[in-house]
Amino acid sequence: MAADGVQQCLSLQWCFGLNKDFKGVVHNLSDGARKRVLYCIGHTAVIYEVEEHKQKLLQGHRNSIVASCVSTDRRFVATCDAGVDALMIVWDTHTCLPIKHVSLDDSEGVLAMDMTPDAMYIATLSKDEPQSISLWEWTAEDGDRPKLKCGVAAKDLQTCIRFNTNDNHLIITNGERRVVFWSWLEGALKYYSPAVSSRDFKQQVGSFTQSVFLPDTDLAASGTVDGDVVLWGGVTSEKKTKATDKVVLKVVRVHSTGVTFLSAVGGLLVTGGVEGYVRFFDHQLRTVAWFEELNGGPVISVSFDKSPVKGTGGAGTFTGQEFLAPDFVASTANAMIIDVKSHSFNTANAELQRGQLLVQGQDQPIMAVAAHPFLPRIAIAGYSGNLHLWEYTTRRVLLLSIFRNLLTHCLAFDPKAAYLAAGFTNGVVKILDASSLEELQSFRPKSADCVTMITFSHDSQFFAAADAEGCVGVYKFTHRAQDPRKPIEWVYMGRHRAHRAPITGLQFGIVPYGDTARLISVGEDKRLIEYNLVDTDIETGLRVKSAHKISQGAVPTGFLWASVPLVEDNERGTNAPDALVISTNEYKVKLFSTDASRLCTKTVLSPTYGGPLHTLLVVPGEGKQAECLVYSTHERVVGLIKFPLNGNPRSAMGLLAHPVEVSSVAVSFDGKYLFSAGGRDCCVNQWSINCNALSQEDGRPVVDHYIDTIEGGKEGEFMKEIIDYFYYAQIRSQGEETTAKRTIEGTIPFTQVPNLMRALGYYPSEKEIQNMTFEIYTKYGKLMGTDEIFIDFETFLKLYVNHRPVFGINKSNIEAAFAAIGADPVSGVIDRDTLFGMLRSKAEALHQLEVESCLRSLLGDDVTRVDLLEDKITAKAFAETLLGFEDYDTAGDEEEEEDEEMDDDETRSPQNSM
């Protein structure tokens, strides 16, 4: 699917939050006519139009943006990320379009960057070690390569870089222990790093944080973690000196805690401190002005309006009576951007001195987002302890609740919107009023295990919580202590540890054609557990109704109880109005019946980019109609899958929603928006959903979409091999040694399918064959074991693509299998008789005749008995000697991760490899 098609399916509308981990990435673009601020969040740069309350979103990075810079005229902005496939992008702030992409393939991105006032040059400090400094003339024809590059000789990772605003040829950088002055006046990057010794001063000089040149002087300043500013000046000597030759003139304490940011405006030095103060100093480090009422936390950026102050020419000045400077914005480590009027220093107006809050985010990972069931509101919470209730159409914070010493991990509204449940990392569960966020009840667990998910029943009579230890707890809205004389409230009924591995899904459903709630959990232990809610009470606790093992090898990664049609009407199996949808780590989506049989009614290929599907949500439509599913993976990707679920690669799309993980997703009540939380990027993205843009039609036959997933494509050798085997299966079904005239009708009996699958390299188990048989017989409206069913080539190919493994068997799979059956953990050796004894007795056991037949097929007619094999067998010997793997040592080493091939604005069909 083309990039514009992806943007039509999921279009980014708004970014909630702020990147607070990097300094100097907030820039004031205000020019007097309008108030504009640029800041970064995740892998997106945002231009925020303050008066209009609109965002212009600059998308193009794959990794988190860690550095940015802006030209003096505010026309050009450059952004850089750090990580694999790092990019530097230069943007036009007028059109909000990229005008230059520079690939940083030779490094893992940058740590810091700066732009000359005339926007002609950009300087960067690389992230990788050994570190290098690069100078880019990005407007030149060869601007995608550094004009100059030099290694940083100082054994101190440099983290700050600034140009001299009066001379583009001079640059200052600093790390914790060294400050380096650079010059490229002679056509090469040369440097000088003056020594700083505590013996030269009457105090210890702490680690450096930021450095900056002071305009219109030969001075420079560096801040320290102790709150000092070190003032550098030129060397006084009769001998010829260079501009890079600097000495320490003085060290002055300017903050009681660390200096977190340095800047300069006009003739003034501007500092930001850990205590949240912004202060102005003259060239002799005498205090000129101070702003100490911001109350936003440690200052990490200060940026000034472009518009000049009347009578100052834009420079900050102090007349001795009145402080004059451009207005500025300050960003803080508490994820706030504050607009400050510089003239507030000359007033006694406390409210004006506090500034105006422009952007508010969360300063710790966001782990949970929940959508209101019938209002345009979302709840956002995480490890900061803050719970924000947003109105997502106006993008305003309605309410804020603070949890002291508690880290929120999950949230859920009840269907009637009366309650909001919050689960915390220490096992505490709180019930809040959904309208006011007032705490109504709190439940403290017997064990302090993280609450990983919370869900409510359809009638708001139950809610259930799962924890990290595989336990499920149930709460009921009933009389306290189940005594009719006492008030109705949420009552803890009990918990049950039904899983031996993490729970991947917890969902309520409804009994068929009834209104009674049911509860099912699915775990990584491959077990599906249904709980007995009818007989659950305070005395007996939570009981298990049934338990099923739903997989032989694949591990469930996501679970959805869907009450809307997911497949074609003739594929729904038991005619039940709902289905259990389970995604696995083998990139499959399986549908199970909700009745006691737990039959697998259909298996389809899932999107394979970004990792296995983690969360599945139905996108509501008009009435009970739904057109698609929303999915997310553990890392970075969200996307859509269009109904019906059939494994067609063109029925799915995905994009990089976040640069790291996707911690939580939610869909608005009307199905118009998807909200994704990015965990450590402290961001929640709002996406508009357009399921209709996800078209399966491209002018080709549908079967060609499945062929695209075959190695080599339609004209490849493997595809020709599939066709040949299909024709041979037709001949084989009619008898191989007959002389009668053959009729080739283009179909094969379904009984030939398992052997045909094996001939093509897929070896289904008996359970998998049973699932395929039930799926096909259901499709044709037949009862299993009755009439013979014949399928055509298109049906077979779809079945093959949907069921075969996405990745072939490799070395690690065989070693893991040997370890599971008792091989020595160090040598990997297992006794021959033990191995074959387990093959004859465990799971889908092999009969002795089957063992002999397998040995004959693999090793020839001379080896038909187990005792002719070596007494001790290793995974490598088993693979090479018995299975005939010629490349065992390299098997699986060259598999490429699909998510590494994705682009922010591009998606592609799943590429399977055998």
Side-chain angles (χ1 to χ4, degrees):
M1 182 177 291
D4 56 349
V6 174
Q7 292 294 330
Q8 291 174 7
C9 296
L10 285 176
S11 177
L12 186 60
Q13 302 295 304
W14 195 269
C15 294
F16 299 89
L18 173 67
N19 192 335
K20 49 78 188 177
D21 291 326
F22 306 103
K23 298 178 181 179
V25 293
V26 174
H27 303 284
N28 192 341
L29 305 182
S30 305
D31 56 8
R34 54 181 176 172
K35 192 74 178 178
R36 307 170 79 208
V37 178
L38 181 137
Y39 59 94
C40 302
I41 178 167
H43 57 350
T44 303
V46 178
I47 295 180
Y48 177 43
E49 305 277 357
V50 177
E51 284 85 4
E52 299 177 8
H53 194 51
K54 293 182 178 179
Q55 287 183 347
K56 303 291 182 63
L57 304 171
L58 312 183
Q59 298 174 265
H61 290 278
R62 292 170 54 91
N63 310 298
S64 293
I65 298 174
V66 300
S68 62
C69 53
V70 63
S71 61
T72 299
D73 62 2
R74 310 302 197 266
R75 176 68 185 271
F76 302 107
V77 169
T79 56
C80 269
D81 62 61
V84 179
D85 298 326
L87 279 176
M88 177 170 66
I89 305 178
V90 182
W91 310 83
D92 186 330
T93 61
H94 292 181
T95 63
C96 298
L97 295 175
I99 54 179
K100 185 74 174 182
H101 286 78
V102 178
S103 176
L104 306 176
D105 291 336
D106 60 340
S107 69
E108 294 186 2
V110 306
L111 283 180
M113 66 189 306
D114 196 24
M115 181 182 288
T116 56
D118 58 7
M120 294 297 293
Y121 300 98
I122 294 174
T124 60
L125 286 170
S126 68
K127 178 184 177 183
D128 52 326
E129 296 185 28
Q131 192 179 32
S132 62
I133 179 174
S134 300
L135 182 74
W136 308 79
E137 189 178 5
W138 65 272
T139 56
E141 291 185 3
D142 60 349
D144 56 349
R145 297 190 303 273
K147 177 182 178 67
L148 298 173
K149 186 175 182 178
C150 179
V152 177
K155 296 181 180 180
D156 180 35
L157 188 67
Q158 303 289 285
T159 57
C160 176
I161 185 168
R162 299 285 178 84
F163 277 104
N164 188 326
T165 56
N166 297 119
D167 187 347
N168 292 347
H169 297 93
L170 301 179
I171 301 171
I172 185 173
T173 68
N174 75 264
E176 289 188 357
R177 304 307 310 161
R178 306 291 297 186
V179 176
V180 184
F181 294 89
W182 302 81
S183 173
W184 56 281
L185 182 62
E186 300 176 8
L189 282 164
K190 298 184 178 180
Y191 63 90
Y192 174 68
S193 179
V196 178
S197 174
S198 59
R199 290 176 299 179
D200 299 332
F201 306 94
K202 294 181 180 180
Q203 64 182 83
Q204 186 75 26
V205 178
S207 298
F208 295 113
T209 56
Q210 290 262 295
S211 295
V212 67
F213 286 105
L214 300 185
D216 303 320
T217 70
D218 65 346
L219 304 176
S222 298
T224 75
V225 295
D226 295 332
D228 297 326
V229 165
V230 178
L231 190 65
W232 308 90
V235 175
T236 303
S237 173
E238 295 180 356
K239 298 181 179 180
K240 185 177 180 180
T241 60
K242 298 179 180 179
T244 54
D245 295 339
K246 301 290 182 182
V247 295
V248 176
L249 299 181
K250 63 172 69 175
V251 178
V252 177
R253 178 66 52 90
V254 298
H255 288 271
S256 59
T257 53
V259 176
T260 51
F261 187 78
L262 282 183
S263 182
V265 57
L268 300 178
L269 173 68
V270 185
T271 67
V274 172
E275 71 275 70
Y277 300 162
V278 176
R279 290 172 174 167
F280 292 72
F281 301 87
D282 65 14
H283 293 172
Q284 297 181 30
L285 298 185
R286 293 176 299 189
T287 305
V288 173
W290 51 94
F291 295 82
E292 301 179 351
E293 306 297 331
L294 303 182
N295 297 327
V299 177
I300 57 174
S301 294
V302 177
S303 183
F304 292 87
D305 286 6
K306 176 188 172 184
S307 58
V309 178
K310 186 175 180 180
T312 69
T317 62
F318 184 65
T319 66
Q321 298 177 349
E322 185 178 15
F323 169 71
L324 298 175
D327 296 337
F328 61 92
V329 295
S331 69
T332 73
N334 289 354
M336 297 181 185
I337 298 179
I338 303 171
D339 182 33
V340 183
K341 304 297 182 182
S342 61
H343 71 266
S344 66
F345 175 73
N346 303 312
T347 72
N349 188 328
E351 183 176 351
L352 188 63
Q353 290 177 353
R354 281 194 293 270
Q356 177 188 357
L357 183 63
L358 300 182
V359 178
Q360 181 178 12
Q362 300 207 17
D363 59 357
Q364 294 296 325
I366 296 176
M367 303 306 297
V369 57
H372 196 282
F374 48 78
L375 291 176
R377 297 177 180 179
I378 55 168
I380 298 174
Y383 293 166
S384 67
N386 296 336
L387 169 61
H388 288 102
L389 185 65
W390 286 82
E391 214 282 4
Y392 59 75
T393 53
T394 61
R395 281 96 183 198
R396 303 291 185 185
V397 176
L398 300 178
L399 293 168
L400 169 63
S401 182
I402 300 176
F403 301 112
R404 303 293 182 185
N405 302 318
L406 289 174
L407 309 181
T408 311
H409 195 81
C410 55
L411 294 170
F413 282 99
D414 84 292
K416 297 180 180 179
Y419 305 103
L420 175 63
F424 299 88
T425 56
N426 63 351
V428 170
V429 174
K430 291 183 180 291
I431 301 297
L432 312 176
D433 185 291
S435 299
S436 65
L437 299 187
E438 178 186 356
E439 182 177 323
L440 302 178
Q441 288 181 258
S442 181
F443 300 92
R444 293 191 173 276
K446 294 181 179 178
S447 60
D449 299 316
C450 177
V451 180
T452 57
M453 55 191 71
I454 292 179
T455 182
F456 282 87
S457 63
H458 71 288
D459 54 6
S460 298
Q461 292 301 302
F462 291 94
F463 80 85
D467 67 29
E469 290 300 312
C471 296
V472 172
V474 168
Y475 304 76
K476 186 176 181 179
F477 195 65
T478 184
H479 293 278
R480 185 185 303 168
Q482 294 184 302
D483 186 343
R485 296 169 297 179
K486 295 183 178 180
I488 296 178
E489 62 183 8
W490 288 104
V491 177
Y492 174 66
M493 306 302 290
R495 66 200 295 259
H496 194 104
R497 185 174 183 176
H499 294 277
R500 298 183 293 272
I503 295 173
T504 57
L506 181 67
Q507 295 271 300
F508 279 99
I510 309 173
V511 297
Y513 312 106
D515 194 48
T516 304
R518 300 169 65 189
L519 177 63
I520 288 179
S521 64
V522 175
E524 291 184 6
D525 56 0
K526 309 168 191 176
R527 285 158 53 90
L528 185 151
I529 308 295
E530 181 168 3
Y531 301 89
N532 187 349
L533 297 181
V534 175
D535 296 328
T536 293
D537 55 40
I538 296 177
E539 294 182 357
T540 60
L542 180 61
R543 297 180 178 182
V544 170
K545 183 177 181 180
S546 63
H548 292 80
K549 185 175 182 180
I550 56 173
S551 173
Q552 293 175 306
V555 177
T557 57
F559 172 45
L560 169 69
W561 194 329
S563 57
V564 297
L566 304 176
V567 296
E568 301 287 357
D569 291 341
N570 63 338
E571 297 179 327
R572 298 184 64 182
T574 58
N575 295 319
D578 53 2
L580 307 178
V581 186
I582 297 175
S583 59
T584 73
N585 67 336
E586 294 183 350
Y587 295 92
K588 305 295 182 186
V589 173
K590 294 178 176 288
L591 274 61
F592 291 84
S593 62
T594 60
D595 58 23
S597 67
R598 301 288 188 259
L599 290 171
C600 180
T601 60
K602 192 172 183 65
T603 299
V604 299
L605 178 69
S606 75
T608 59
Y609 22 76
L613 310 191
H614 175 242
T615 304
L616 297 167
L617 300 172
V618 173
V619 178
E622 295 183 4
K624 290 190 176 182
Q625 296 298 318
E627 296 182 347
C628 61
L629 284 178
V630 160
Y631 73 85
S632 71
T633 67
H634 270 297
E635 295 185 0
R636 307 200 292 177
V637 176
V638 300
L640 303 177
I641 306 175
K642 192 174 180 66
F643 295 149
L645 298 181
N646 52 23
N648 188 334
R650 287 192 60 84
S651 67
M653 58 75 60
L655 51 76
L656 294 182
H658 296 273
V660 195
E661 70 266 16
V662 180
S663 57
S664 180
V665 293
V667 175
S668 64
F669 69 96
D670 54 7
K672 292 182 178 180
Y673 298 107
L674 163 67
F675 301 93
S676 61
R680 285 172 289 167
D681 70 6
C682 301
C683 170
V684 172
N685 287 332
Q686 179 181 351
W687 310 83
S688 65
I689 300 174
N690 184 3
C691 294
N692 295 327
L694 192 60
S695 173
Q696 298 182 8
E697 298 180 1
D698 61 355
R700 299 184 299 160
V702 173
V703 69
D704 285 359
H705 303 159
Y706 294 85
I707 293 175
D708 289 342
T709 69
I710 302 297
E711 295 82 359
K714 194 171 186 178
E715 303 300 326
E717 291 298 322
F718 188 52
M719 188 63 207
K720 295 176 182 178
E721 190 175 340
I722 293 175
I723 295 173
D724 290 342
Y725 275 118
F726 187 82
Y727 277 109
Y728 176 68
Q730 295 179 69
I731 296 173
R732 192 168 185 268
S733 66
Q734 297 176 20
E736 297 175 87
E737 299 180 357
T738 181
T739 58
K741 184 178 180 181
R742 298 182 183 276
T743 302
I744 304 300
E745 298 179 347
T747 62
I748 60 173
F750 183 75
T751 53
Q752 290 291 323
V753 168
N755 287 331
L756 184 52
M757 296 277 194
R758 296 183 184 109
L760 296 172
Y762 166 39
Y763 305 95
S765 65
E766 293 301 320
K767 179 66 175 176
E768 291 170 328
I769 293 172
Q770 179 185 343
N771 291 341
M772 281 190 281
T773 304
F774 182 79
E775 182 177 327
I776 291 297
Y777 272 79
T778 300
K779 178 181 177 67
Y780 288 92
K782 304 284 187 178
L783 294 176
M784 290 180 62
T786 56
D787 300 331
E788 180 71 274
I789 289 180
F790 289 81
I791 64 173
D792 58 17
F793 180 75
E794 180 175 336
T795 302
F796 166 74
L797 190 66
K798 291 179 180 178
L799 196 67
Y800 174 67
V801 168
N802 281 327
H803 282 265
R804 74 166 183 166
V806 171
F807 303 114
I809 297 173
N810 57 37
K811 177 172 64 175
S812 61
N813 299 139
I814 299 174
E815 290 174 348
F818 264 63
I821 61 176
D824 185 271
V826 178
S827 64
V829 174
I830 190 171
D831 183 75
R832 176 197 62 201
D833 295 334
T834 301
L835 172 62
F836 282 90
M838 298 189 75
L839 292 176
R840 295 190 191 101
S841 60
K842 301 293 183 180
E844 295 179 358
L846 294 174
H847 190 273
Q848 178 62 30
L849 294 178
E850 291 178 301
V851 173
E852 294 175 359
S853 175
C854 289
L855 291 175
R856 188 181 297 109
S857 299
L858 293 169
L859 302 176
D861 294 337
D862 295 335
V863 181
T864 59
R865 301 198 319 270
V866 172
D867 58 8
L868 295 177
L869 302 176
E870 296 290 338
D871 293 339
K872 303 293 182 181
I873 299 177
T874 64
K876 181 177 182 180
F878 183 82
E880 293 181 343
T881 305
L882 285 176
L883 301 183
F885 283 14
E886 297 179 356
D887 55 349
Y888 174 79
D889 288 329
T890 60
D893 292 343
E894 298 180 356
E895 289 182 359
E896 296 182 354
E897 293 291 341
E898 300 294 334
D899 58 326
E900 295 297 334
E901 299 179 354
M902 291 192 59
D903 197 89
D904 295 85
D905 55 0
E906 182 177 64
T907 187
R908 57 193 69 172
S909 302
Q911 299 297 314
N912 299 339
S913 60
M914 292 291 290

